[in-house]
Amino acid sequence: MGWFLGLGIGGIVVLATALVFDGVLEGVFHGALGGLFDGWLSLPVVAGFVSMLGFTGAIVLGSTGLGPGAAAAAGAVAGAGAAWATYRLGRALLRDGSGRAPQRADLVGVAGRVVTAIPHGGYGEVLLSLAGQPVKYAATADAPLERGAEIWVTATPSDTSVAVRAIER
């Protein structure tokens, strides 16, 4: 039973090492082994397999009358399941591409407020909500706008400035 518990604890240590050093060991072996650690042999997958093998083997050995061979077989089956689940979860997390960075064109049509008055032919500042976050931009307008005026973005001449017009109610 000591061997099985040692494997289980060793797997947890490997997992903690993989989380703390996040890819350092994969980076070391990447060039030598040609990307062998990129999928099924990544450290989290191996750690999941070894931990489940060890802990399941210890449980089977301690709670049943079966010998070490049967405990190792049960542990290997459980370890393969843990490795598969870890691999699938890792791929699903890496595949999540739903978060697109906001672009300049996304600002056109956004409403906001003037925070620094905009003079005729000059720049002021406006507060906009971009992707749910308040963002301050330099702004120009065709007519002077006072602080607190509600505005609408009509164009984005640069990454840090916008052209606006007043919202008339």
Side-chain angles (χ1 to χ4, degrees), residues 86-113:
T86 304
Y87 174 77
R88 296 292 296 177
L89 178 63
R91 291 294 140 224
L93 291 173
L94 290 174
R95 191 174 48 245
D96 181 26
S98 62
R100 180 180 74 83
Q103 305 293 317
R104 280 174 48 182
D106 295 336
L107 288 173
V108 176
V110 171
R113 290 198 176 273

Side-chain angles (χ1 to χ4, degrees), residues 3 17 44 49 67 83 91 103 105 119 123 141 143 150 153 160 168:
W3 283 101
T17 302
F49 175 80
R91 291 294 140 224
Q103 305 293 317
Y123 282 91
E150 292 184 43
V153 176
T160 59
E168 300 168 9

Side-chain angles (χ1 to χ4, degrees), residues 1 56-66:
M1 183 176 306
T56 301
I59 290 170
V60 168
L61 191 61
S63 64
T64 66
L66 300 175

Side-chain angles (χ1 to χ4, degrees), residues 117-147:
I118 302 173
H120 181 66
Y123 282 91
E125 292 178 322
V126 294
L127 188 62
L128 306 172
S129 178
L130 181 61
Q133 298 296 315
V135 183
K136 194 178 350 178
Y137 281 91
T140 61
D142 292 336
L145 296 172
E146 295 299 317
R147 184 175 187 264

